[in-house]
Amino acid sequence: MRSWQRMFVAVMRLLLKCLRLGRRRRFKLLRQVEQLWHYGNLCLRSLLYNSFTNGDVVLDSLFEPIYWLVDHVTRWFGVVFVALVIGLTSSIVAIVYICLLPLILQTYTPAWICWHLAYGHWNLIMIVFHYYMAITTSPGHPPQAKDDLGGVSICRKCIAPKPARTHHCSICNRCVLKMDHHCPWLNNCVGHYNHRYFFSFCLFMTMGCIYCSVSGWEMFRDAYAAIERMKLLEKERLQVAANQTYYQTPPPTFSFHQRAFHKSVVYLWVLCSSVALALGALTLWHAALITRGETSIERHINKKERQRLQKKGKVFRNPYSYGGWDNWKVFLGVDAPRHWLTRVLLPSPHLPHGTGLSWDLPPCVTEQRTPLLAI
């Protein structure tokens, strides 16, 4: 009896030892898995760690395929956009000369005729000149040799010197001096040497569209009412033809010239009003940036820098801003009072201040620039 008890106790002890050994092995296996997880997580963080990484960087990384697609589509369709601008502008000019100008010469007083002829042709010349200069003038690119520049960084995309205010254009695939943005309607970058042409084109195009919309408002109302009458008379003519009554005279119809005239006036007013609203908003936006001495890219950079310094109790000052009035003088190249006429109100191919490689104080600035940081 005792032998059976001893054997039972021995078996139970052996079973308990096996259970403890299995539990220890399971705990050891779990510890190994946990260590491998922490080690892999540490390796991944060490490879991908970046102190500047935030939600914006992650979002940009996720949208990188879309950016690549947009860059390539914009590059190939730039010529189409330029042709569209030229075609739409030419159609408006043709309608004005063929349809509206004879009517103006017949009905307006001599004073109003002189005003429309002078202002309309001046505005048209300014639009054509600045658009041509904007699409044909290079925005400016930094030299490839670093020996020519001092104290500049290197662009990580094109491995070339990158002076201050220079940014890489993924569509043109090269760095641009004082880059503002790549404009598909110009098929060109907006940079140091053609920024003034781009803004002047937007301004004068907006002014021209507003001029056409305001001047043609009464003509638009009459043309729209005439088109509605044409639709009504066409409906009545079809009803008469359907009744097949020979004693009724069909209502008179408008001639082809009248139809084309009224539809052209409606087309002109709708297109000019739409462009005036859209392009006017863009012009105001760039005017605000010019007043602050910033470009479109620098606005985002300065905003982040302003928020970063604000957390440290400091105030950010734009080193390229000389005050609202002086910023406009520098941007337009106004060094003397007569330049407001010869360089702003008349076509002028003068170069901007500086080379875009360094930013010394322009001679037209009356006050010294503010420091970069202020406590």
Side-chain angles (χ1 to χ4, degrees):
M1 188 69 179
R2 291 181 178 178
S3 62
W4 285 102
Q5 291 179 354
R6 291 176 181 176
M7 187 179 296
F8 178 75
V9 172
V11 172
M12 292 301 295
R13 287 179 179 178
L14 181 60
L15 182 61
L16 290 174
K17 287 182 180 180
C18 291
L19 290 176
R20 291 176 183 175
L21 182 61
R23 186 179 300 174
R24 290 176 182 175
R25 288 182 178 177
R26 286 198 303 271
F27 288 158
K28 186 178 181 180
L29 182 61
L30 290 176
R31 284 197 299 269
Q32 290 178 353
V33 172
E34 186 178 1
Q35 290 176 358
L36 288 176
W37 168 259
H38 288 299
Y39 178 74
N41 191 16
L42 180 61
C43 290
L44 186 63
R45 288 191 176 187
S46 64
L47 293 174
L48 301 179
Y49 176 75
N50 189 344
S51 60
F52 295 99
T53 301
N54 52 23
D56 295 336
V57 176
V58 175
L59 191 62
D60 290 341
S61 300
L62 294 176
F63 278 90
E64 191 65 28
I66 300 178
Y67 296 152
W68 180 88
L69 180 62
V70 171
D71 291 344
H72 284 71
V73 169
T74 304
R75 184 182 306 171
W76 287 106
F77 278 87
V79 179
V80 178
F81 292 152
V82 172
L84 187 62
V85 172
I86 296 175
L88 293 177
T89 306
S90 301
S91 66
I92 296 299
V93 174
I95 291 173
V96 170
Y97 275 102
I98 297 175
C99 299
L100 301 186
L101 186 59
L103 184 62
I104 290 174
L105 295 177
Q106 293 175 4
T107 58
Y108 283 29
T109 61
W112 277 109
I113 292 175
C114 293
W115 155 252
H116 284 290
L117 291 177
Y119 178 81
H121 286 89
W122 169 79
N123 203 341
L124 179 61
I125 291 173
M126 297 298 285
I127 291 173
V128 173
F129 170 79
H130 287 102
Y131 188 70
Y132 174 78
M133 295 299 293
I135 63 178
T136 57
T137 303
S138 173
H141 307 285
Q144 298 297 317
K146 190 177 180 181
D147 297 337
D148 299 338
L149 302 174
V152 299
S153 59
I154 299 297
C155 178
R156 62 181 181 180
K157 294 183 179 180
C158 58
I159 316 299
K162 187 178 179 181
R165 311 188 80 178
T166 300
H167 300 280
H168 187 88
C169 176
S170 58
I171 300 176
C172 299
N173 198 24
R174 63 186 307 183
C175 287
V176 177
L177 299 175
K178 192 193 171 186
M179 179 180 176
D180 187 272
H181 69 287
H182 184 94
C183 181
W185 301 102
L186 302 179
N187 195 28
N188 194 9
C189 269
V190 177
H192 179 62
Y193 288 103
N194 63 348
H195 193 182
R196 178 178 65 88
Y197 297 132
F198 164 76
F199 177 79
S200 298
F201 163 72
C202 293
L203 177 63
F204 288 111
M205 179 62 82
T206 303
M207 292 172 56
C209 291
I210 294 175
Y211 162 73
C212 291
S213 299
V214 174
S215 301
W217 169 245
E218 295 296 334
M219 296 181 184
F220 166 75
R221 292 178 58 184
D222 296 340
Y224 186 80
I227 291 176
E228 292 297 323
R229 288 196 303 271
M230 282 191 289
K231 293 180 180 180
L232 182 61
L233 293 176
E234 184 67 21
K235 184 178 179 180
E236 293 179 358
R237 189 180 67 83
L238 293 176
Q239 290 177 353
V240 171
N243 294 331
Q244 296 181 356
T245 54
Y246 297 98
Y247 59 87
Q248 292 181 351
T249 303
T253 59
F254 286 83
S255 63
F256 174 79
H257 176 74
Q258 291 174 330
R259 292 173 182 270
F261 175 82
H262 295 313
K263 291 181 179 179
S264 298
V265 171
V266 172
Y267 164 78
L268 179 144
W269 192 88
V270 171
L271 180 60
C272 289
S273 300
S274 303
V275 173
L277 290 176
L279 194 59
L282 179 64
T283 304
L284 292 176
W285 165 253
H286 280 279
L289 293 177
I290 295 170
T291 305
R292 296 197 297 262
E294 297 177 335
T295 61
S296 300
I297 298 177
E298 290 174 350
R299 175 188 175 274
H300 299 284
I301 298 175
N302 293 345
K303 182 180 179 180
K304 292 183 179 180
E305 187 68 13
R306 189 178 295 108
Q307 294 174 353
R308 186 183 70 84
L309 294 176
Q310 188 177 4
K311 296 178 181 179
K312 297 183 178 181
K314 298 181 180 180
V315 179
F316 173 78
R317 303 295 184 191
N318 185 6
Y320 308 111
S321 177
Y322 313 103
W325 181 249
D326 287 335
N327 286 337
W328 278 102
K329 292 170 63 178
V330 172
F331 177 78
L332 297 174
V334 177
D335 298 329
R338 68 176 183 276
H339 289 164
W340 290 104
L341 174 63
T342 59
R343 294 186 175 184
V344 179
L345 297 181
L346 294 177
S348 175
H350 66 277
L351 297 176
H353 288 290
T355 61
L357 304 176
S358 60
W359 300 96
D360 300 327
L361 193 68
C364 60
V365 176
T366 57
E367 298 179 0
Q368 296 294 326
R369 70 174 66 187
T370 57
L372 177 61
L373 302 179
I375 304 298

